[in-house]
């Protein structure tokens, strides 16, 4: 079909990617399925999300390393409670700085080049930790890997959402979280062999591998069509979309839809436009979700996971508990990826927040009410130093903290983990997407830094139950926030989602019904 013949069709029903005239429906439905199953799209997504694998690996690096460094024979590398707290939390400070830099990089270099750029600080950071001769090198390595993680946190979800087919955007949008979970799980699995196969230096060397693979693969992947159009590179954008959808599909129609949407808006968001609800509402929702996600306590649990299990004296060894939780997290994110485009985003967010609420409440009440003889009396005062305490007799009731943590991670991974990142990339307007995604990451990781810094101090002063009860209250707030503020984006194109914030909920629902 020639472009001139296609244009009336586009104008007739441009609100839905799959809405076509009846006469052309059968052929276009076949083209839709071809574009949906184009393997190149999934290759591009895989290349990008390798950055999240490295991010997940680096995030939980302290979990097995802190106990090893607390007992290190070299005083220059030995961690005490203060330095261990910084070693666990400084990663998030670097991630906040990375998110801040992405506010410029996303719109200047583009999504793909920003992801590739993250490989430099990541590789240098792992090298510093692998060759560390003192705590300063360890902390600098954590900052640099955190900086790289902040860049990938802001760039990868945007890149994935902008290259994805609407029919699989939910599934592909969950892939960054899946890869981050897989990276954490691999770290836990490798950490189990401390003293036998790998030590903490070789763990840092292992972190270099996905970084190198990512940068090689991305050299052959296209830029986001929407970013190329925003730069006035129309021919490259059309070629990119052709590569992502397949030559035998009606990719030109989607290209015209994207281009038509971009004609209606200026290339840069101005200060005056920030007052427009079309701009500030999605930004506030995205920032609010990132803030509440971190306040739920997930980063604290992941960073100090083995130490928490040592304190609560669960019946299994802490490194086995950590690996088991990692497996549950991976399984739960996979469930979210499969169900996100079927069940919808909001229902998974409700279920996720509800499970996290019950889990945190159970954990807090268990620590508060279980007799000290069954709950590690001595280690109640200090979380990190408990790594050096002798093992005490355990009871089967100590499986409760393990099960509560597993359900907390399961709930998080089914909703507030992957969907928060996906919605950030879906609802932000194109003209502000680069800057706003960086802002979301800055808020997210500054919140995470504050929590991980004060977590150990709160535990020492008030006991481990206090932060978990606080996290439970936040999860109740997550339920209210989801019901009042978060729109359902299942099955909508990015252009439709922008239309929701322009015209309101009623128009959005009418376009969905059609």
């Amino acid at each position: 079909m020639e472009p001139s013949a296609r244009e009336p069709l586009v104008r007739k029903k441009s609100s839905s990617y799959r809405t076509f005239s009846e006469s052309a429906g059968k052929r276009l439905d076949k083209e839709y399925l071809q574009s949906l199953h184009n393997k190149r799209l999934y290759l591009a997504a895989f290349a990008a999300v390798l950055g999240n694998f490295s991010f997940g690996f680096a995030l939980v690096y302290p979990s097995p390393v802190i106990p090893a460094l607390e007992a290190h024979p070299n005083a220059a590398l030995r961690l005490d409670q203060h330095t261990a707290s910084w070693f666990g939390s400084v990663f998030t400070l670097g991630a906040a700085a990375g998110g801040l830099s992405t506010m410029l990089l996303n719109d200047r270099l583009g999504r793909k080049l920003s992801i590739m750029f993250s490989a430099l600080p990541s590789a240098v950071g792992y090298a510093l930790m692998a060759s560390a001769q003192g705590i300063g090198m360890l902390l600098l390595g954590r900052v640099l890997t955190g900086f790289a993680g902040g860049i990938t946190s802001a760039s990868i979800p945007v890149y994935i959402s902008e290259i994805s087919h609407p029919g699989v955007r939910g599934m592909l949008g969950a892939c960054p979280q899946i890869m981050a979970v897989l990276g954490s799980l691999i770290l836990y699995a490798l950490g189990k062999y401390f003293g036998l196969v790998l030590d903490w230096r070789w763990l840092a060397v292992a972190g270099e591998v996905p970084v190198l693979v990512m940068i090689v693969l991305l050299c052959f992947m296209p830029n986001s069509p929407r970013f190329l159009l925003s730069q006035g590179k129309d021919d490259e954008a059309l070629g990119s979309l052709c590569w992502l959808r397949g030559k035998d599909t009606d990719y030109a129609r989607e290209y015209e839809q994207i281009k038509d949407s971009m004609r209606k808006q200026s290339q840069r968001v101005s200060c005056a436009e920030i007052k427009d609800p079309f701009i500030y509402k999605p930004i506030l929702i995205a920032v609010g979700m990132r803030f509440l996600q971190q306040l739920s306590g997930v980063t604290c649990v992941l960073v100090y996971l083995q130490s928490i299990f040592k304190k609560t004296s669960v019946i299994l060894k802490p490194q086995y508990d950590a690996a088991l939780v990692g497996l549950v997290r991976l399984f739960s994110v996979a469930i979210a990826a499969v169900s996100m485009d079927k069940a919808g985003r909001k229902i998974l967010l409700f279920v996720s927040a509800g499970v996290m609420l019950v889990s945190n409440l159970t954990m807090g009440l268990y620590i508060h009410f279980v007799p000290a003889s069954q709950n590690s009396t001595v280690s109640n005062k200090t979380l990190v130093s408990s790594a050096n305490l002798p093992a005490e007799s355990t009871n089967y009731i100590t499986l409760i903290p393990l099960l509560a943590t597993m359900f907390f991670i399961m709930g998080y991974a089914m909703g507030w983990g992957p969907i928060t990142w996906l919605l950030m990339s879906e609802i932000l307007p194109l003209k502000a997407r680069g800057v706003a995604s960086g802002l979301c990451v800055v808020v997210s990781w500054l919140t995470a830094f504050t929590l991980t810094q004060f977590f150990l101090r709160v535990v020492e002063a008030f006991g481990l139950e206090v932060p978990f009860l606080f996290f439970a209250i936040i999860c109740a707030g997550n339920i209210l926030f989801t019901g009042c503020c978060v729109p359902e984006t299942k099955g909508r194109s990015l252009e439709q989602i922008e239309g929701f914030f322009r015209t309101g909920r009623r128009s959005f629902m009418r376009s969905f019904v059609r």
Side-chain angles (χ1 to χ4, degrees):
M1 183 181 289
E2 294 296 323
S4 59
R6 185 188 300 112
E7 288 174 358
L9 182 62
V10 175
R11 288 194 296 269
K12 182 179 180 181
K13 292 186 177 181
S14 61
S15 63
S16 175
Y17 186 86
R18 283 200 67 180
T19 304
F20 306 111
S21 63
E22 293 182 4
S23 60
K26 185 177 295 186
R27 180 180 63 81
L28 292 177
D29 192 59
K30 181 180 179 181
E31 291 177 349
Y32 176 88
L33 292 174
Q34 286 177 333
S35 61
L36 189 70
H37 298 141
N38 185 39
K39 294 180 180 179
R40 289 180 174 180
L41 168 62
Y42 302 101
L43 178 61
F46 172 75
V49 297
L50 281 173
N52 282 90
F53 181 96
S54 180
F55 166 77
F57 190 98
L59 175 64
V60 301
Y61 182 75
S63 184
V65 171
I66 285 177
L69 290 180
E70 284 180 323
H72 201 281
N74 186 349
L77 290 169
R78 192 180 307 129
L79 297 180
D80 55 24
Q81 181 174 336
H82 176 71
T83 52
S85 176
W86 275 102
F87 186 68
S89 63
V90 76
F91 176 92
T92 58
L93 197 60
L100 189 64
S101 68
T102 312
M103 296 172 70
L104 294 176
L105 293 176
N106 254 348
D107 289 330
R108 297 290 176 86
L109 295 181
R111 291 50 158 148
K112 188 187 85 166
L113 288 181
S114 294
I115 300 169
M116 295 178 70
F117 175 78
S118 71
L120 178 61
S122 183
V124 174
Y126 279 125
L128 282 171
M129 289 189 289
S131 59
Q133 301 301 311
I135 293 174
M137 292 180 69
L138 288 171
L139 295 180
L140 182 57
R142 288 284 290 162
V143 170
L144 288 175
T145 53
F147 184 81
I151 295 175
T152 56
S153 295
S155 301
I156 292 176
V158 175
Y159 179 75
I160 295 295
S161 72
E162 291 187 352
I163 68 171
S164 293
H165 190 289
V168 291
R169 194 174 62 244
M171 181 186 72
L172 291 181
C175 286
Q177 188 72 14
I178 290 176
M179 292 299 285
V181 172
L182 188 60
S184 300
L185 183 59
I186 294 297
L187 187 279
Y188 289 141
L190 294 176
K192 189 179 72 170
Y193 294 100
F194 264 52
L196 297 176
V197 178
L198 297 173
D199 65 11
W200 58 273
R201 294 187 187 274
W202 282 106
L203 276 182
V205 173
E208 300 275 11
V209 177
V211 177
L212 297 177
V213 176
M214 176 194 74
I215 199 167
V216 171
L217 287 179
L218 280 177
C219 290
F220 302 98
M221 300 300 115
N223 252 310
S224 156
R226 288 173 175 83
F227 169 74
L228 292 171
L229 279 172
S230 71
Q231 301 297 304
K233 300 177 181 179
D234 293 19
D235 292 340
E236 288 186 42
L238 184 61
S240 172
L241 200 58
C242 174
W243 193 92
L244 292 166
R245 300 292 183 263
K247 292 182 179 180
D248 298 328
T249 64
D250 195 24
Y251 65 89
R253 180 180 183 278
E254 183 181 0
Y255 170 79
E256 290 298 331
Q257 287 182 327
I258 297 171
K259 192 172 181 180
D260 182 63
S261 175
M262 295 189 64
R263 287 195 198 102
K264 297 176 182 177
Q265 52 184 294
S266 60
Q267 295 301 308
R268 300 286 182 213
V269 60
S270 64
C271 294
E273 286 179 308
I274 294 178
K275 300 178 182 179
D276 188 341
F278 161 63
I279 299 294
Y280 76 76
K281 280 187 177 180
I283 293 177
L284 288 179
I285 292 172
V287 170
M289 290 190 74
R290 300 297 300 136
F291 181 65
L292 291 172
Q293 182 203 51
Q294 289 298 334
L295 282 183
S296 69
V298 63
T299 301
C300 292
V301 172
L302 292 176
V303 169
Y304 300 118
L305 187 59
Q306 288 195 26
S307 297
I308 290 172
F309 284 149
K310 282 180 179 292
K311 179 183 180 357
T312 52
S313 299
V314 292
I315 201 167
L316 300 176
K317 293 183 179 179
Q319 60 266 39
Y320 290 98
D321 298 327
L324 184 59
V325 168
L327 282 172
V328 170
R329 189 178 171 207
L330 181 62
F331 176 72
S332 303
V333 177
I335 292 176
V338 172
S339 59
M340 207 178 296
D341 287 316
K342 298 178 181 178
R345 281 55 156 164
K346 289 191 72 169
I347 186 64
L348 289 178
L349 288 174
F350 280 125
V351 172
S352 171
V355 172
M356 289 194 296
L357 168 60
V358 173
S359 301
N360 279 321
L361 191 60
T362 300
M363 189 76 158
L365 293 177
Y366 168 84
I367 296 168
H368 182 75
F369 288 109
V370 169
S373 61
Q374 295 178 343
N375 193 29
S376 188
T377 305
V378 178
S379 63
N380 193 46
K381 294 296 182 182
T382 304
L383 186 64
V384 175
S385 61
S386 63
N388 299 320
L389 293 174
E392 298 184 10
S393 61
T394 57
N395 190 300
Y396 281 104
I397 197 175
T398 60
L399 282 175
I400 291 178
L402 173 60
L403 293 174
T405 304
M406 288 172 62
F407 275 102
F408 170 77
I409 295 298
M410 179 185 295
Y412 171 81
M414 287 181 63
W416 276 84
I419 295 177
T420 303
W421 291 107
L422 173 62
L423 278 172
M424 179 191 77
S425 60
E426 286 184 325
I427 68 177
L428 293 176
L430 179 63
K431 65 169 64 178
R433 195 167 292 158
V435 173
S437 61
L439 176 63
C440 289
V441 172
V442 170
V443 171
S444 174
W445 292 116
L446 283 179
T447 306
F449 170 75
T450 304
L451 286 177
T452 51
Q453 261 293 305
F454 286 96
F455 182 78
L456 298 180
R457 302 178 190 180
V458 170
V459 170
E460 184 178 10
F462 304 105
L464 184 57
E465 67 271 24
V466 171
F468 280 102
L469 293 175
F470 171 77
F471 298 152
I473 295 172
I474 295 299
C475 292
N478 290 0
I479 296 175
L480 295 175
F481 185 85
T482 300
C484 298
C485 303
V486 179
E488 178 58 74
T489 60
K490 180 190 74 171
R492 278 80 164 188
S493 68
L494 297 183
E495 287 66 43
Q496 281 181 299
I497 296 169
E498 286 198 8
F500 163 66
F501 290 103
R502 286 185 184 277
T503 59
R505 189 177 304 272
R506 292 181 180 177
S507 173
F508 193 54
M509 291 304 297
R510 283 198 301 269
S511 69
F512 177 67
V513 172
R514 288 203 300 265

